[in-house]
Amino acid sequence: MSDEIKIQLTTTPGNKPDSSNLSFGKYFTDHMFIMDYHIDKGWHDPRIVPYAPISLDPAAMVFHYGQAVFEGMKAYLTDSGKVLLFRPDKNMKRLNQSNDRLGIPEIDGDFVIQAIKTLIEIDKSWIPTEKGTSLYVRPFIIATEPCLGVRSSYTYQFIVILSPVGAYYSGGLEPVKINVESSYTRAVRGGIGYAKAAGNYAASIKAQEIAKKEGFSQVLWLDAIEKKYIEEVGSMNIFFKIGGTVITPEINGSILEGVTRDSVITLLKDWGVPVEERKISIEEIYEAYKQGQLEEVFGTGTAAVISPVGELHWNEHTMHVNEGKIGELSQKLYDTITGLQSGSLPDPRNWTVTF
Amino acid sequence: MSDEIKIQLTTTPGNKPDSSNLSFGKYFTDHMFIMDYHIDKGWHDPRIVPYAPISLDPAAMVFHYGQAVFEGMKAYLTDSGKVLLFRPDKNMKRLNQSNDRLGIPEIDGDFVIQAIKTLIEIDKSWIPTEKGTSLYVRPFIIATEPCLGVRSSYTYQFIVILSPVGAYYSGGLEPVKINVESSYTRAVRGGIGYAKAAGNYAASIKAQEIAKKEGFSQVLWLDAIEKKYIEEVGSMNIFFKIGGTVITPEINGSILEGVTRDSVITLLKDWGVPVEERKISIEEIYEAYKQGQLEEVFGTGTAAVISPVGELHWNEHTMHVNEGKIGELSQKLYDTITGLQSGSLPDPRNWTVTF
């Protein structure tokens, strides 16, 4: 991709939302990045255009066979007016892993990061600066060929949209109630669970809605094979602090390889906190709870960063974690990662990209 | 849904494709049916409009979280100028099962069948009449709300498009080569395998493409848990005739409840052919093959109707089925079902809807 990015600016800039009332992914900035793919031409025609509806043939394959992958990142504005992105190379690597699994052509990660920077630069005035807010960056790829045969599409669009966001959970860093899902499954080995693919989320919605009606924020997914081992929570990775050791499910093909997950593991190692990536069963967690060893539970993801779990329900058992309060380590991880992301803490690993 | 269907006819009718060279799902008729859903209004504004691109916000949830389901049916034109649809009530029932699993609101099946009839009536001149051709009907539902939070969309579009099609396999009723897939999986219990959801197809593409490169038409999916029991072939149900008995995997939550599958089972029972719906392992099939008992293998689906399997590859084993020729029963089922669908055979069960 050596094409230059064409830029067409809006003539009707939108009104920026009140930054104290952003919620998540509801407002979008004035511009978006688009590039097209054709099997004979590769990725081409990269351009920044005014944010507007896209027009697709009703037979476009994304509507029928779900070839759609995405990424999520956050951009922060520093006091000195610089923009920060957190580990975008990891998102590009994962996007190409998702592409590979879904039969979607590879993208040039460096070029896309450059395109994202250019787009954010143009819509920089949309980056909110209140505590807990940021500019959410959503790159996604959809199959656009109008054809009803089941195969990889010959054409795609890669699009990046930007959304000023508040905290993912309106309650802020409040511990949430989680239900261990025992009927529905999210993914299985050999499937697409490790890909950030639209279909994984579609599969998760029903169980989430049932859990919400029962008063839970999210579901905790167990493995589909033995219905025993922990996979993910909602659309986040999950960590358990048990007797001083932090345990998180190992990468196994059916869970997402989270960027925040990787950052948490790295920070814990830096801090000398024992951390294990391994299979962990719900029984083991319940046993630890009964012995008073289950100290903290938290989810990790780009949207929420760290989401402490205050209550964990599993069949007839209710586990109250850390008396329903945010754990010390959860809080430290949240403060450190958001501090790094927003540029208020020194960044010895050069995780942030500044421009 | 008591709304009347508004009709806006095209002023620029398209050219009809050469019916000897239709392939599958490449050409579309002059009109389409659309209706909208809003959480506060339910399904509303049913209309038939000229076939045209649809316009969606780039944040529309279908692009990100894959809430998308579909159906497939075929319409035939009889010599006397009547249109035939095959068991459309079954498709409507399954569409609502898919909706339920994906968190999409229920549709009124009777109303939708009426809408489909009206649409086909308008585009009746597009129904091809050469042997093996038909008008493929593709109803589908997509989530349209522009929002990046993971939950059920508050708005949807239900759309029906029509495509004059030839045989699904360009080779006609030629036996195909199938590879038993041992790494990738399509679906698992607790997942969305039984739903006709876009995400299931997205998950299947990579294995299919690998199989194609190796010279196979389709993959045969094994269950995700034990990697042992037969699930489906490509996007079809599958049947094995072993020692005079026809065996097909039972409905288990991870395979699709095919309309053609049901029709085949019913016909076999009518004909006094022993038929079993049960778990069947790939080992059992290989054992039957070694003993000279594997008489016929065929896939069933709306697109291909009956697709005989001539060769089945499983790891280092190659099973040649019926010397690579179409089995007698496969041929009889194909002739009977297409005969019923096209109105050339009497229809004692009233499977076809005529208008």
Side-chain angles (χ1 to χ4, degrees):
Chain A
M1 265 307 301
S2 60
D3 300 46
E4 211 176 303
I5 300 170
K6 282 183 226 86
I7 296 174
Q8 180 203 341
L9 297 181
T10 184
T11 53
T12 54
N15 292 320
K16 298 189 175 67
D18 175 0
S19 71
S20 64
N21 188 23
L22 287 171
S23 84
F24 188 84
K26 241 177 96 178
Y27 303 101
F28 298 94
T29 68
D30 282 331
H31 299 88
M32 60 185 184
F33 172 80
I34 305 187
M35 66 178 174
D36 299 315
Y37 177 89
H38 187 284
I39 194 169
D40 296 331
K41 293 172 76 174
W43 289 107
H44 64 279
D45 195 14
R47 57 202 186 272
I48 288 169
V49 294
Y51 188 94
I54 52 177
S55 178
L56 287 175
D57 194 287
M61 292 172 90
V62 64
F63 298 137
H64 304 271
Y65 306 129
Q67 268 188 298
V69 295
F70 70 91
E71 274 300 326
M73 306 151 76
K74 280 177 170 174
Y76 289 82
L77 193 67
T78 67
D79 293 340
S80 59
K82 290 279 179 193
V83 182
L84 295 177
L85 276 176
F86 189 68
R87 311 186 77 185
D89 53 315
K90 298 281 281 182
N91 295 87
M92 294 303 116
K93 192 178 157 207
R94 188 172 62 186
L95 181 55
N96 274 329
Q97 283 168 353
S98 302
N99 285 340
D100 176 68
R101 181 61 185 86
L102 274 283
I104 296 174
E106 194 178 8
I107 53 99
D108 175 342
D110 291 340
F111 176 78
V112 166
I113 291 173
Q114 192 50 51
I116 290 171
K117 285 182 183 175
T118 308
L119 177 65
I120 295 174
E121 193 67 52
I122 289 170
D123 281 342
K124 193 169 164 181
S125 63
W126 284 81
I127 307 179
T129 51
E130 285 200 19
K131 198 169 166 56
T133 66
S134 59
L135 186 74
Y136 184 77
V137 181
R138 169 57 60 93
F140 65 105
I141 303 177
I142 53 174
T144 55
E145 186 190 351
C147 177
L148 299 183
V150 180
R151 58 163 171 75
S152 284
S153 176
Y154 295 160
T155 64
Y156 298 86
Q157 276 200 319
F158 174 93
I159 301 176
V160 184
I161 55 178
L162 306 176
S163 174
V165 296
Y168 189 78
Y169 296 107
S170 50
L173 197 64
E174 284 300 302
V176 293
K177 284 189 190 182
I178 300 285
N179 190 41
V180 179
E181 173 58 47
S182 49
S183 311
Y184 294 106
T185 51
R186 178 190 167 273
V188 68
R189 64 175 178 205
I192 61 171
Y194 70 85
K196 216 161 168 68
N200 287 327
Y201 295 80
S204 78
I205 287 174
K206 186 174 170 117
Q208 299 270 22
E209 307 256 308
I210 293 170
K212 281 226 166 102
K213 276 188 195 134
E214 293 171 352
F216 302 104
S217 292
Q218 298 275 335
V219 300
L220 191 148
W221 302 103
L222 297 180
D223 79 285
I225 294 171
E226 300 185 59
K227 299 295 286 168
K228 182 174 166 182
Y229 295 103
I230 307 293
E231 295 258 308
E232 296 191 13
V233 57
S235 46
M236 295 184 288
N237 295 117
I238 187 151
F239 289 76
F240 301 90
K241 182 160 171 264
I242 295 177
T245 294
V246 177
I247 304 159
T248 194
E250 64 195 349
I251 296 302
N252 61 1
S254 57
I255 69 170
L256 197 77
E257 208 171 328
V259 177
T260 312
R261 176 186 180 278
D262 181 83
S263 306
V264 163
I265 292 169
T266 306
L267 287 172
L268 291 174
K269 286 181 180 166
D270 276 1
W271 298 342
V273 178
V275 54
E276 294 174 5
E277 296 176 68
R278 64 169 170 85
K279 276 187 166 190
I280 178 164
S281 71
I282 184 69
E283 286 90 348
E284 179 179 345
I285 289 160
Y286 185 61
E287 282 307 310
Y289 173 72
K290 284 198 295 186
Q291 291 162 24
Q293 295 280 299
L294 184 62
E295 296 152 356
E296 297 187 36
V297 181
F298 56 91
T300 65
T302 295
V305 188
I306 300 290
S307 179
V309 176
E311 263 185 53
L312 197 55
H313 293 250
W314 173 47
N315 299 331
E316 71 279 19
H317 309 300
T318 301
M319 301 173 232
H320 297 274
V321 185
N322 197 36
E323 297 170 340
K325 291 180 302 205
I326 300 162
E328 198 182 327
L329 192 63
S330 307
Q331 184 71 55
K332 185 177 173 189
L333 284 163
Y334 181 82
D335 292 342
T336 305
I337 293 173
T338 55
L340 286 165
Q341 289 176 333
S342 62
S344 66
L345 286 180
D347 176 23
R349 294 183 177 274
N350 291 315
W351 275 348
T352 53
V353 171
T354 312
F355 57 99
Chain B
M1 262 305 303
S2 60
D3 300 45
E4 211 175 302
I5 300 170
K6 284 181 224 89
I7 297 173
Q8 181 203 341
L9 297 180
T10 184
T11 52
T12 54
N15 292 320
K16 299 190 175 70
D18 176 0
S19 72
S20 65
N21 188 24
L22 286 171
S23 84
F24 188 84
K26 240 176 98 177
Y27 303 100
F28 299 93
T29 68
D30 281 332
H31 300 88
M32 60 185 183
F33 172 80
I34 305 187
M35 66 178 173
D36 299 315
Y37 177 89
H38 187 283
I39 193 168
D40 296 332
K41 293 172 75 174
W43 288 108
H44 64 279
D45 196 13
R47 58 202 185 272
I48 288 170
V49 294
Y51 188 94
I54 52 178
S55 178
L56 287 174
D57 194 288
M61 290 171 91
V62 64
F63 298 138
H64 303 272
Y65 307 130
Q67 268 187 299
V69 295
F70 70 91
E71 274 300 326
M73 307 150 79
K74 279 176 171 175
Y76 288 83
L77 193 67
T78 68
D79 293 341
S80 60
K82 291 279 182 194
V83 181
L84 295 177
L85 276 176
F86 188 68
R87 310 185 78 184
D89 53 315
K90 299 280 282 182
N91 294 89
M92 292 305 115
K93 193 180 156 204
R94 187 173 61 186
L95 182 55
N96 274 330
Q97 284 169 354
S98 302
N99 284 340
D100 177 68
R101 181 61 184 85
L102 274 284
I104 295 174
E106 196 178 7
I107 53 99
D108 174 343
D110 291 339
F111 176 79
V112 166
I113 290 174
Q114 193 49 52
I116 290 171
K117 285 181 182 176
T118 309
L119 177 65
I120 295 174
E121 196 63 53
I122 290 171
D123 281 342
K124 195 169 163 180
S125 63
W126 284 82
I127 308 180
T129 51
E130 286 201 17
K131 199 170 163 59
T133 66
S134 60
L135 187 72
Y136 184 78
V137 182
R138 169 57 59 92
F140 64 104
I141 303 177
I142 53 174
T144 55
E145 186 191 350
C147 176
L148 300 183
V150 180
R151 57 164 171 75
S152 283
S153 177
Y154 295 159
T155 64
Y156 298 86
Q157 277 200 318
F158 174 91
I159 302 175
V160 183
I161 55 179
L162 306 176
S163 173
V165 297
Y168 189 77
Y169 296 107
S170 50
L173 198 65
E174 283 301 302
V176 294
K177 285 189 192 181
I178 301 284
N179 189 41
V180 179
E181 174 59 46
S182 48
S183 311
Y184 294 107
T185 53
R186 177 190 166 274
V188 68
R189 65 177 176 205
I192 61 171
Y194 70 86
K196 216 161 167 66
N200 286 329
Y201 296 79
S204 77
I205 287 174
K206 186 174 170 120
Q208 299 270 22
E209 307 256 307
I210 293 170
K212 280 226 167 102
K213 276 190 195 134
E214 292 170 354
F216 302 103
S217 290
Q218 298 275 335
V219 299
L220 191 149
W221 301 104
L222 298 180
D223 80 284
I225 294 171
E226 299 185 59
K227 298 295 284 169
K228 181 175 168 182
Y229 295 104
I230 307 292
E231 295 258 308
E232 297 190 12
V233 57
S235 46
M236 294 184 289
N237 294 117
I238 187 149
F239 288 76
F240 302 89
K241 182 160 170 266
I242 296 178
T245 294
V246 178
I247 304 158
T248 193
E250 65 194 351
I251 298 301
N252 61 1
S254 56
I255 69 170
L256 197 76
E257 208 171 329
V259 177
T260 313
R261 175 186 181 279
D262 181 82
S263 307
V264 163
I265 291 169
T266 306
L267 288 171
L268 291 175
K269 286 179 179 167
D270 276 1
W271 298 342
V273 178
V275 53
E276 295 174 2
E277 298 177 66
R278 64 167 170 87
K279 276 187 166 188
I280 179 164
S281 70
I282 184 68
E283 285 91 347
E284 179 179 345
I285 289 160
Y286 185 61
E287 282 308 310
Y289 172 73
K290 282 198 296 186
Q291 291 162 24
Q293 295 280 297
L294 183 63
E295 296 150 358
E296 297 189 36
V297 180
F298 55 92
T300 66
T302 295
V305 189
I306 300 290
S307 179
V309 176
E311 263 186 52
L312 196 55
H313 291 250
W314 173 46
N315 298 332
E316 71 279 19
H317 310 299
T318 300
M319 300 173 234
H320 297 273
V321 185
N322 196 35
E323 298 171 340
K325 289 182 303 209
I326 301 163
E328 199 181 325
L329 192 62
S330 309
Q331 184 72 54
K332 186 177 173 189
L333 284 163
Y334 180 83
D335 293 342
T336 305
I337 294 174
T338 55
L340 286 165
Q341 289 175 333
S342 62
S344 65
L345 286 180
D347 176 25
R349 294 183 178 274
N350 291 314
W351 276 348
T352 52
V353 171
T354 311
F355 57 100

